[in-house]
Amino acid sequence: MTHLWKSADKSIQKRVLQPGIFTKKPTECSTCTINVENINVTGMSEMDLKVKYHTNILDGEPEKTMVIGEASSKIDEKIERVICMMNINERSLVIIAMPLKQSESIDNNESVIVQFEITLSLCKRYKPVWNWSAEEKYQVASRYKEKGTVLFKDSRIIDAFRRFSKACKLLITLEPIADLELNKQLEYNINNLKLALYNNMAICQLKQKNYQHVVTLCTKVLNKDKNNVKALYRRGVAYGNIGDNEKAIADLKVILTLEPTNHSAKEQFDVYNTRLQLSLQRNKDMMRRMFKTY
């Protein structure tokens, strides 16, 4: 009997070639030893795949040890998803479709097809996420955030955003945090990390010119910390880019009150203030012409 599984978006297929020993499946933070063989790529060369999609799992020696949840690229996250559905000693044929452009969907664009065989030989299973303590979630989220920071510095903006988002989702499972009755230091650390993650996701969205998402994320920060300069600056720039010069000026003005020598804020304030004044003048001129007509 052929055991075939497809993801909901049909970007991943897994067909069992050799059944394994029925066990509890790998979970987040499980340490797995895998063997990847017979890699075949359609749509680009195998080397280009590794360069473009930053895969670590399909690169290097066939056998490698990995930790579930640590994948730093979209294709490796998909492979992790496959591994989390495997039994020990199972060998499966996996087919993954990746869009030619990372920011685009598979449905609307030509795709690269990656096919390979994978065997799960060992798994040191970690306890399910819902059994993690608040301290464990904080530590793992901190690790994901640091990895995201490295990816951002490497200009891997989309991959960085996914790391920050994954860390944030982990912390959101602790809400409402006041009900957990944690020690004050841990509660403070968790809240601070969450704000830092919102800010980091905002700068990623700003780089991608997703300005409305920037506004939403920065507002989450400012609802908790109204004088957060990074959030004020990023939201101000986002407002300016969607044409809301008044709100842009309001945010940047707060920064200049807090930090009068902030040159970046002053520069952006001047840009949007000039635009606002020109807009107001155009409106005045238009009204003047209308009244002259009558």
Side-chain angles (χ1 to χ4, degrees):
M1 180 179 176
T2 300
H3 300 280
L4 179 65
W5 170 82
K6 294 182 181 181
S7 61
D9 64 0
K10 299 180 181 178
S11 68
I12 315 170
Q13 292 184 40
K14 178 177 85 81
R15 180 162 59 88
V16 177
L17 301 176
Q18 176 185 303
I21 304 165
F22 182 76
T23 57
K24 289 184 177 181
K25 305 294 191 292
T27 55
E28 190 91 352
C29 288
S30 295
T31 302
C32 300
T33 300
I34 59 170
N35 194 288
V36 179
E37 302 172 289
N38 302 323
I39 301 170
N40 186 277
V41 184
T42 304
M44 65 171 55
S45 70
E46 189 176 328
M47 181 58 67
D48 286 343
L49 176 86
K50 293 168 184 176
V51 171
K52 182 177 175 63
Y53 293 104
H54 305 282
T55 175
N56 291 318
I57 297 176
L58 300 179
D59 195 14
E61 295 298 316
E63 184 175 276
K64 47 179 61 74
T65 299
M66 52 173 289
V67 178
I68 299 295
E70 298 288 345
S72 58
S73 66
K74 190 171 184 178
I75 190 168
D76 284 357
E77 286 179 0
K78 289 178 182 289
I79 298 172
E80 279 191 351
R81 189 175 172 192
V82 168
I83 294 168
C84 288
M85 300 185 67
M86 296 181 72
N87 293 312
I88 301 297
N89 294 334
E90 175 186 322
R91 182 167 62 90
S92 287
L93 174 68
V94 178
I95 301 173
I96 294 177
M98 295 293 294
L100 281 172
K101 294 183 180 179
Q102 285 203 52
S103 58
E104 297 175 347
S105 66
I106 292 167
D107 292 338
N108 299 326
N109 299 278
E110 294 181 13
S111 57
V112 175
I113 306 299
V114 186
Q115 180 175 300
F116 55 91
E117 293 177 15
I118 184 169
T119 304
L120 175 62
S121 52
L122 289 172
C123 176
K124 184 179 180 182
R125 192 171 180 272
Y126 200 70
K127 59 189 174 184
V129 173
W130 55 86
N131 288 333
W132 294 9
S133 68
E135 176 67 34
E136 285 174 303
K137 289 182 178 180
Y138 168 71
Q139 293 296 338
V140 173
S142 296
R143 193 164 70 244
Y144 291 169
K145 184 243 184 189
E146 291 308 312
K147 180 61 177 177
T149 301
V150 172
L151 292 168
F152 184 85
K153 289 177 180 176
D154 286 344
S155 298
R156 290 173 58 183
I157 307 302
I158 296 173
D159 289 335
F161 179 83
R162 282 202 299 271
R163 289 282 89 193
F164 296 140
S165 179
K166 189 177 180 73
C168 197
K169 287 173 183 174
L170 196 54
L171 297 183
I172 287 172
T173 65
L174 297 171
E175 294 179 355
I177 194 167
D179 292 353
L180 299 179
E181 299 181 353
L182 306 175
N183 72 67
K184 293 301 179 185
Q185 185 61 53
L186 179 57
E187 184 175 338
Y188 174 83
N189 290 345
I190 290 170
N191 285 329
N192 264 18
L193 179 57
K194 196 185 303 176
L195 295 187
L197 288 165
Y198 284 138
N199 249 334
N200 288 356
M201 286 190 285
I203 188 62
C204 290
Q205 295 287 15
L206 193 60
K207 292 281 187 183
Q208 295 297 111
K209 300 183 180 181
N210 297 324
Y211 300 120
Q212 196 55 59
H213 291 310
V214 177
V215 170
T216 301
L217 288 162
C218 290
T219 300
K220 287 178 183 288
V221 176
L222 295 166
N223 285 342
K224 298 289 185 181
D225 179 9
K226 66 179 182 180
N227 291 330
N228 189 293
V229 171
K230 287 182 179 179
L232 284 164
Y233 181 81
R234 289 162 188 170
R235 190 174 73 173
V237 171
Y239 275 138
N241 276 281
I242 58 179
D244 198 332
N245 295 311
E246 289 188 38
K247 287 184 179 179
I249 289 168
D251 280 347
L252 295 164
K253 191 179 287 185
V254 175
I255 298 174
L256 294 173
T257 302
L258 297 168
E259 299 179 359
T261 59
N262 190 316
H263 299 299
S264 296
K266 180 65 168 65
E267 185 178 292
Q268 293 299 317
F269 176 87
D270 289 343
V271 169
Y272 300 126
N273 189 45
T274 299
R275 288 182 187 176
L276 179 61
Q277 297 311 313
L278 288 171
S279 176
L280 293 172
Q281 187 60 50
R282 280 195 299 270
N283 288 339
K284 284 181 182 178
D285 293 343
M286 184 176 66
M287 292 300 291
R288 192 179 299 115
R289 286 194 297 272
M290 286 174 63
F291 281 112
K292 277 185 177 180
T293 301
Y294 291 105

